[in-house]
Amino acid sequence: MDNNVNSSSNSTISTIANNKLQNLNSIKQNSNSFWKNSGRPVPGGTVAVSSAKAMVSTFRDYQQSVSDAWDTGDDEFCIMSNIGAGAPNDSRISKKVSQSAALNVIETHRNVKSSNDKIILTTTTPIKETNINQTQEEIQRNDHLEKEIKPKPRNFHAYPGRPQLQRFSSNSQDTEYETKIEKFQILLDSPLLDLVALKKISWSGVPRKMRAVSWRLLSKYLPPSGERRDAVLESKRQGYQDLRQNYFKVDSQDETQQDTYRQIHIDVPRMNPQIALFQQKLVQEMFERILFIWAIRHPASGYVQGINDLVTPFFIVFLQETLTLDLEKFDISTLTEDSRNSIEADSFWCLSKFLDCIQDNYIFAQLGIQEKVNQLKDLIQRIDGNLHRHLQTHGVDYLQFSFRWMNNLLTRELPLHCTIRLWDTYLAESDGFAVFHLYVCAAFLLHWKEQLMQQNDFQGLMLLLQNLPTHNWSDRQINVLVAEAFRLKFTYADAPKHLEVKS
């Protein structure tokens, strides 16, 4: 008797579903007329095709195509023909579609009967159950239908504000890297360099193999004209050799110059003591000449401790241009003298250009640095009053930790490869990096807020601020740092007082 009831119920439900499907043509014509008259696009964004056979292959394909127009939970069995305005009017639903629709209705009602909580109907995962009353032939037919109506993955529209999932693999990163190199190559090979475009793509980082030539151009050491670059480069390198002959004569120096050279001679061996490359005598002599000649040519400031650290990134970048080996253990004496002279000359000229916009940091009493430290203090007070009060409460003066940040441009706080990446952005700054560096320092300090707030005495705060754990940093952290600095600059630079954060 139960079998008869089930069979009768299934037959009734099938009849209901088929009656609904028989009204398809009238529904389709009405809906098609509506979209035509209103001038609106058909839900699902489908495009009309010339053949009725190519329009709708399965019921589930149809559901998939209009799933962005309404939720299926609102009206599971509302069926509209998935055709455009120009489609033929004699479309018919295939037998397979009718069968799959009927099965879908039966299975849904069966679920309702077995569970009174709610109906679960999904367009991407078909409900698959085996009725004990089904014959083996019916089961095989249903399995065959489910294989045919397997839906295609749904492609979401890239609406603004919707998070897009990204999968990063070595292949995608390599492709992105090679694409960026191509962009640099196109710019650098142009007869007249577009310096603005070069700055734009360099701001987010320069590929290693393109960095040396890009830095020369960004520093304005070389001209934008491609045909003049080789001649200017040769002239500049020869000009530096002339400076060496004219200025670097230790025996004939006056007392002031001897004091300058003596201080340089003391400071250079202290640079990067953990890297064997900088302990080589030839390397130290190159640095001594660069720093001494720069000091003689800039008497307003002369040599100041800390400038020696600013030579290092240029030296490494131009050394990498000729090598692919591990630089830390590389013996520079294996290079030809001409190669060493070229690296030294390029480092000197780029350093000179780089320091032009921050020379007031190194004049008497280093007033420029003191001003920037006060600006950092005011900026942090506006951005994060809690952190500012925490430092002040425990007697920490900004000058005690940020003087070195300004004097050495964070070279003592970051690994060397991170400094080089940071300088990609500094050299690409359109209005010079002096102002932007202030916001980098602010973002850098705010990055350590959580650890700083956990320190409850002066000693703990100073130990942390002078030994920040950046040894594991990579380009990714620098990218985040400069992005946050850009946000702070955009928000607070020249901002009115009402933007001050009250906390």
Side-chain angles (χ1 to χ4, degrees), residues 49-149:
V49 296
S50 60
S51 172
K53 183 179 180 180
M55 286 185 291
V56 180
S57 60
T58 68
F59 174 67
R60 291 190 184 277
D61 283 345
Y62 155 71
Q63 285 184 310
Q64 188 65 34
S65 68
V66 298
S67 58
D68 61 344
W70 59 79
D71 293 332
T72 56
D74 295 337
D75 189 359
E76 296 103 12
F77 309 115
C78 179
I79 304 173
M80 180 184 296
S81 180
N82 186 21
I83 61 175
N89 294 324
D90 58 348
S91 303
R92 295 292 183 268
I93 301 298
S94 67
K95 183 177 180 181
K96 291 183 179 180
V97 173
S98 301
Q99 290 175 341
S100 64
L103 288 172
N104 199 4
V105 173
I106 292 170
E107 290 168 351
T108 302
H109 280 272
R110 184 184 298 118
N111 284 342
V112 173
K113 183 178 180 180
S114 61
S115 174
N116 294 325
D117 295 335
K118 58 182 179 179
I119 298 175
I120 301 176
L121 181 62
T122 172
T123 60
T124 57
T125 306
I127 300 171
K128 183 176 181 180
E129 293 183 3
T130 302
N131 191 325
I132 58 175
N133 296 320
Q134 287 181 311
T135 64
Q136 187 65 27
E137 182 180 354
E138 290 175 334
I139 294 173
Q140 291 177 354
R141 184 175 67 252
N142 291 342
D143 289 341
H144 177 71
L145 286 173
E146 287 182 358
K147 289 180 181 179
E148 286 189 354
I149 63 176

Side-chain angles (χ1 to χ4, degrees), residues 280-291:
Q280 297 178 33
K281 184 179 179 180
L282 281 176
V283 173
Q284 293 181 359
E285 290 175 350
M286 294 168 72
F287 273 70
E288 288 175 359
R289 289 191 292 267
I290 291 171
L291 293 168

Side-chain angles (χ1 to χ4, degrees), residues 383 436 439 446 482-493:
I383 297 172
F436 187 69
Y439 293 92
L446 293 169
V482 297
E484 178 63 14
F486 180 83
R487 186 188 70 83
L488 293 176
K489 181 183 177 184
F490 182 81
T491 305
Y492 291 96

Side-chain angles (χ1 to χ4, degrees), residues 391-398 400-401 457-458 461-462 465:
L391 296 175
Q392 296 294 293
T393 300
H394 294 91
V396 176
D397 194 308
Y398 283 77
Q400 294 170 322
F401 65 88
D457 55 60
F458 173 83
L461 285 167
M462 289 305 300
L465 286 167

Side-chain angles (χ1 to χ4, degrees), residues 412-466:
R412 295 288 181 91
E413 276 59 48
L414 299 172
L416 182 55
H417 64 275
C418 290
T419 299
I420 291 173
R421 164 61 193 92
L422 179 61
W423 284 23
D424 288 340
T425 300
Y426 281 3
L427 289 168
E429 272 293 298
S430 58
D431 55 352
F433 68 89
V435 174
F436 187 69
H437 180 68
L438 170 66
Y439 293 92
V440 170
C441 290
F444 189 62
L445 180 60
L446 293 169
H447 177 82
W448 307 104
K449 175 183 176 179
E450 183 177 350
Q451 294 92 318
L452 290 169
M453 297 298 287
Q454 293 173 359
Q455 302 297 325
N456 295 317
D457 55 60
F458 173 83
Q459 183 179 2
L461 285 167
M462 289 305 300
L463 283 175
L464 177 59
L465 286 167
Q466 293 179 353

